[in-house]
Amino acid sequence: SYQGKILVYILVKILVYITFIVRVIYNFSLFFIIRNLVFPKTKNALYCFNNNCFWKKNSNNLVEVPYIVSSEYSSTDISVIKNAMSTFHNKTCIRFVPRLNQTDYISIENKDGCYSYLGRIGGKQVVSFNRQGCVYHGIIQHELNHALGFYHEHTRSDRDKYVKINWEYVPTDKAYNFQIQNTNNQNTTYDYGSVMHYGKTAFTTQAGKNTITPIPDATVAIGQRQDMSNLDILRINKLYGCVV
Ligand SMILES: [Zn+2]
């Protein structure tokens, strides 16, 4: 009927509008929520429309992430960065490649802190490794994992079963770093040993007081920045469908 058609037309319009609004809010929150500073203390995976926020696989089943590096780094810095990248190359199908003319790429810069966007945002995206506090193997891996689309381990959807957040010691302006995210955990178990997990006193307002306490066993170690864990590597391989 004519009225039926009008109704369908209106519903479709409303749906398109809602989709648009959701995307705007989503992109907006990406910008603010994800720009996380781990300096000086130092995802699970993102759900993603059309896999649009992940890096693309090439015909060789490798996922190329083009990069450029600021000239402010020393040759020692560069070798630390490249060595951190080599873990991805050796254990996953991710390949950080010097940029030629690719549209989407990461720009490694000596900015104020250690941070990255979450996933591929399109075009140039800055990953910051401050020379004074971020050019370390595990920290570089941590930020590169964000760029691949991984949240902090302690914000994954099921984290309340594994850690307790002590909100009384979390500064208000840092609370977003501790908020639960709607993550795709890919059937991997919670990983206290993840390079994406914060340490116990991260951002604490009171020296010696935990912002994050592992449960039920508070003595479990968290927050290592030595190297990616086996589960960190497994999650990359799952998310990107690597054949390794
Ligand atoms: Zn982080």
Side-chain angles (χ1 to χ4, degrees):
S1 74
Y2 179 71
Q3 278 182 338
K5 276 179 188 164
I6 292 278
L7 191 61
V8 168
Y9 176 78
I10 290 170
L11 285 175
V12 167
K13 279 281 179 200
I14 289 171
L15 258 179
V16 168
Y17 190 68
I18 288 171
T19 307
F20 173 76
I21 294 291
V22 165
R23 286 211 70 136
V24 168
I25 292 170
Y26 179 78
N27 289 331
F28 203 68
S29 55
L30 267 189
F31 185 83
F32 286 101
I33 291 169
I34 305 315
R35 236 188 82 116
N36 62 328
L37 288 165
V38 288
F39 185 75
K41 296 280 175 191
T42 43
K43 9 187 169 98
N44 248 311
L46 179 66
Y47 274 114
C48 186
F49 297 107
N50 315 319
N51 284 338
N52 230 347
C53 37
F54 300 129
W55 300 84
K56 303 288 179 217
K57 233 181 214 176
N58 69 18
S59 51
N60 299 321
N61 271 331
L62 297 173
V63 178
E64 291 193 347
V65 182
Y67 72 92
I68 59 173
V69 187
S70 161
S71 59
E72 291 174 34
Y73 292 107
S74 70
S75 58
T76 311
D77 293 337
I78 300 285
S79 68
V80 173
I81 292 167
K82 286 194 174 175
N83 191 43
M85 288 175 168
S86 73
T87 315
F88 293 85
H89 301 173
N90 295 336
K91 298 187 171 169
T92 77
C93 61
I94 304 295
R95 295 292 180 272
F96 294 96
V97 294
R99 178 184 181 236
L100 301 172
N101 59 358
Q102 293 94 329
T103 312
D104 303 334
Y105 62 101
I106 61 175
S107 176
I108 297 173
E109 299 181 16
N110 171 33
K111 299 279 194 200
D112 182 23
C114 331
Y115 59 83
S116 170
Y117 290 90
L118 188 68
R120 182 178 65 87
I121 63 166
K124 169 183 166 178
Q125 66 187 82
V126 172
V127 176
S128 171
F129 302 129
N130 183 279
R131 287 199 65 201
Q132 305 310 321
C134 308
V135 185
Y136 296 99
H137 192 71
I139 294 179
I140 293 164
Q141 292 177 335
H142 177 105
E143 300 306 335
L144 292 177
N145 263 300
H146 281 316
L148 293 177
F150 290 94
Y151 286 98
H152 290 133
E153 185 71 359
H154 60 274
T155 66
R156 62 186 256 172
S157 53
D158 58 353
R159 71 100 187 273
D160 283 344
K161 289 191 274 182
Y162 304 95
V163 292
K164 179 176 174 288
I165 306 298
N166 306 302
W167 292 104
E168 62 272 37
Y169 303 120
V170 175
T172 314
D173 64 331
K174 297 286 185 266
Y176 65 89
N177 287 303
F178 299 84
Q179 249 127 38
I180 287 190
Q181 306 294 334
N182 176 27
T183 53
N184 173 8
N185 302 324
Q186 308 185 98
N187 287 316
T188 62
T189 53
Y190 191 87
D191 186 10
Y192 292 111
S194 171
V195 80
M196 304 307 287
H197 206 300
Y198 274 1
K200 291 178 185 173
T201 57
F203 295 117
T204 189
T205 54
Q206 209 174 311
K209 296 291 187 186
N210 287 355
T211 48
I212 306 178
T213 306
I215 50 173
D217 181 359
T219 67
V220 170
I222 52 174
Q224 66 88 10
R225 289 293 178 275
Q226 299 306 306
D227 209 346
M228 289 195 286
S229 70
N230 290 336
L231 281 171
D232 286 327
I233 290 158
L234 175 67
R235 281 190 287 263
I236 295 169
N237 286 326
K238 281 193 165 211
L239 184 66
Y240 281 95
C242 298
V243 184
V244 289

